[in-house]
Amino acid sequence: MSMKLSAAHRQIACQSRLFSTLPVELRDGLLDAAHIVHLRRGQVLFQHGDSAAAIHIVAEGWMKLYRIAPNGAEAVVGVMTRGQSFGEPIALRQAAYPVSAEAVTACDLIAVPAQVFLTLLKTHPEAAISILSATFMHLQGLVEQIEQLKARSGAQRVAEFLLELCPEGAESATVVLPYDKALIAGRLGMKPESLSRAFARLRELGVRVNQSSAAISSVSRLQDLALADAFGAISRVM
């Protein structure tokens, strides 16, 4: 089922990396052509190899982008939430998706038809700056993710993940884990047992994790761990 965008949906879209740099008049035309797609938890939006026909922005919920390795293991490429867009370069090339996308929770997605965006690019070449900006930000995010996987300990990866959930400026916080621990492990490039060990190590820093939330007694101590040199300074923090 799909529906037209509400004022709240349009505001979310305008704050995304894809639309934030577009002139207002160009933005409005694209959003007039967009629609909302509702997905149930576990519902697949597209599969690896499907032809891309739209650019998507998450309005509510969490989406998982993943690939299945030859050995059958699932490799989580990214987990997207409110205001984050995905699939821009693939949709504009009208190519096949290199990943699959599945709703981790119930989701509302803003779907912008790729053909409408392509037509805009032909008539307003300056709109290409928005695509270049979005692509650069996506690439930057992938580089940071690779750095995290290569140069950070398991405890540091989990610390950074929890810090992203903390309210800005808080010294202590109880945060809701947005999805299950198996997906958290996959997102952080860890096995579930490695995630459990990392949570156990973080108890020394005052982090208490239960099934669906984490209580953090000292955000600053968690920040010290996340910023520590993975090859030396971490031993001084823990």
Side-chain angles (χ1 to χ4, degrees):
M1 179 181 177
S2 62
M3 56 183 283
K4 288 295 184 181
L5 274 61
S6 67
H9 290 139
R10 295 174 81 96
Q11 183 177 11
I12 293 169
C14 290
Q15 293 170 348
S16 72
R17 66 187 181 192
L18 179 62
F19 282 87
S20 61
T21 59
L22 274 177
V24 174
E25 62 275 12
L26 302 184
R27 213 161 50 193
D28 287 344
L30 290 171
L31 295 178
D32 287 343
H35 61 275
I36 296 294
V37 177
H38 301 284
L39 296 178
R40 302 180 305 276
R41 178 180 178 179
Q43 188 172 353
V44 173
L45 176 64
F46 55 76
Q47 294 184 327
H48 178 200
D50 289 349
S51 296
I55 298 166
H56 294 94
I57 303 167
V58 182
E60 291 293 340
W62 293 81
M63 288 294 298
K64 172 179 68 175
L65 307 181
Y66 66 98
R67 287 189 67 156
I68 302 299
N71 65 359
E74 180 182 281
V76 179
V77 177
V79 183
M80 319 301 289
T81 191
R82 183 185 177 110
Q84 294 181 312
S85 59
F86 57 94
E88 300 96 331
I90 305 301
L92 294 179
R93 286 169 48 214
Q94 298 181 310
Y97 286 114
V99 296
S100 300
E102 178 185 316
V104 177
T105 65
C107 282
D108 286 346
L109 302 177
I110 299 166
V112 184
Q115 190 56 55
V116 175
F117 218 119
L118 285 169
T119 299
L120 176 70
L121 290 175
K122 291 175 182 177
T123 55
H124 297 82
E126 67 273 18
I129 295 174
S130 179
I131 291 295
L132 289 173
S133 176
T135 302
F136 173 77
M137 290 175 68
H138 179 64
L139 178 61
Q140 187 178 40
L142 289 176
V143 170
E144 290 173 355
Q145 184 175 333
I146 292 170
E147 178 192 12
Q148 182 189 63
L149 295 176
K150 294 289 187 181
R152 300 288 184 182
S153 71
Q156 284 182 301
R157 293 180 221 171
V158 175
E160 290 176 341
F161 175 79
L162 294 176
L163 287 169
E164 290 175 359
L165 303 175
C166 290
E168 187 174 352
E171 175 48 35
S172 62
T174 297
V175 299
V176 175
L177 301 180
Y179 35 86
D180 63 46
K181 292 176 184 176
L183 180 54
I184 293 173
R187 170 64 183 84
L188 299 179
M190 305 167 68
K191 294 180 178 179
E193 55 268 28
S194 300
L195 179 66
S196 295
R197 286 195 294 270
F199 279 140
R201 294 188 69 186
L202 292 182
R203 280 201 292 268
E204 301 172 29
L205 296 181
V207 178
R208 296 290 183 269
V209 179
N210 60 30
Q211 191 63 31
S212 60
S213 66
I216 303 163
S217 62
S218 175
V219 172
S220 59
R221 290 189 71 191
L222 207 58
Q223 290 171 333
D224 288 342
L225 170 61
L227 296 174
D229 181 356
F231 301 106
I234 185 172
S235 62
R236 297 192 294 273
V237 179
M238 299 194 69

